[in-house]
């Protein structure tokens, strides 16, 4: 049976909420990865790109395995069709989290910037994205600009805390 627009995963608010949660989780994870990589001496662009790609792919596959296992336990069958498409839709931001860092690493690879700068820029962009998501949530909750800026600052502070923890460990 074909899905109409009303039942497509992107039209369901709960599914979109889950997907956004994955996007924020992936962003925070990628901050930790790129900051960690920035502290590695003699790291090449291929190794950095491989680490970023492996992280995104690993998170995505782990999420799919966990989702499928949970589905099997609860429903006593393997997810397929609509359920599987929903799982893939919700988990897609885990793969997309690698795009920004990979583009910046590629820029370093062709000599537009140093790899260290590219990795720190990737972390900065991810923290900025967290700030934007916080601002959007503040606005959507009807708190106005002051509340949105506070929500954005709190989310950015979480990203900066991840940076601080990663840098303290190196």
């Amino acid at each position: 049976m074909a899905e109409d627009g009303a039942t497509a995963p992107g039209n369901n608010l709960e599914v979109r909420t889950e997907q956004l949660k994955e996007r924020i989780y992936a962003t925070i994870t990628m901050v930790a990865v790129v900051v960690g990589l920035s502290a590695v001496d003699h790291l090449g662009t291929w190794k950095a790109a491989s680490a970023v790609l492996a992280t995104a792919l690993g998170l995505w596959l782990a999420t799919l395995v966990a989702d499928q296992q949970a589905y099997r336990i609860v429903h006593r069958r393997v997810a397929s069709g609509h359920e599987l498409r929903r799982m893939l839709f919700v988990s897609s931001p885990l793969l997309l989290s690698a795009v920004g860092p990979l583009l910046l690493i590629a820029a370093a690879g062709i000599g537009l910037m140093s790899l260290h700068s590219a990795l720190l820029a990737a972390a900065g962009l991810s923290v900025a994205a967290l700030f934007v998501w916080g601002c959007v949530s503040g606005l959507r909750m009807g708190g106005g600009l002051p509340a949105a800026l506070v929500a954005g600052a709190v989310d950015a502070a979480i990203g900066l805390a991840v940076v601080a923890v990663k840098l303290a460990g190196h």
Side-chain angles (χ1 to χ4, degrees):
M1 174 178 216
E3 288 183 315
D4 62 12
T7 60
N11 292 337
N12 181 311
L13 286 180
E14 290 302 316
V15 172
R16 288 177 48 206
T17 300
E18 288 181 48
Q19 187 190 46
L20 182 55
K21 175 197 66 159
E22 294 295 344
R23 171 177 247 137
I24 293 167
Y25 171 70
T27 300
I28 293 168
T29 301
M30 202 52 71
V31 167
V33 170
V34 296
V35 170
L37 289 172
S38 75
V40 176
D41 291 331
H42 310 296
L43 180 69
T45 55
W46 285 108
K47 284 187 179 181
S50 296
V52 166
L53 194 57
T55 298
L57 188 60
L59 282 172
W60 180 68
L61 289 172
T63 298
L64 286 179
V65 167
D67 285 349
Q68 187 66 261
Q69 185 171 359
Y71 191 90
R72 284 193 320 258
I73 290 168
V74 171
H75 297 280
R76 298 178 186 213
R77 63 183 176 84
V78 174
S80 62
H82 175 72
E83 298 94 2
L84 184 58
R85 283 189 298 281
R86 179 187 173 284
M87 286 177 191
L88 293 169
F89 178 79
V90 166
S91 65
S92 63
L94 295 169
L95 291 172
L96 294 174
S97 69
V99 173
L102 287 174
L103 289 173
L104 287 163
I105 291 168
I110 61 173
L112 295 178
M113 64 179 70
S114 72
L115 179 57
H116 182 76
S117 296
L119 293 168
L120 292 180
L125 287 174
S126 293
V127 171
L130 292 172
F131 175 79
V132 169
W133 283 117
C135 287
V136 169
S137 72
L139 290 173
R140 290 262 175 121
M141 292 187 320
L145 187 58
L149 293 174
V150 168
V154 168
D155 285 2
I158 292 168
L160 291 172
V162 170
V163 170
V165 167
K166 287 302 287 184
L167 290 177
H170 290 284

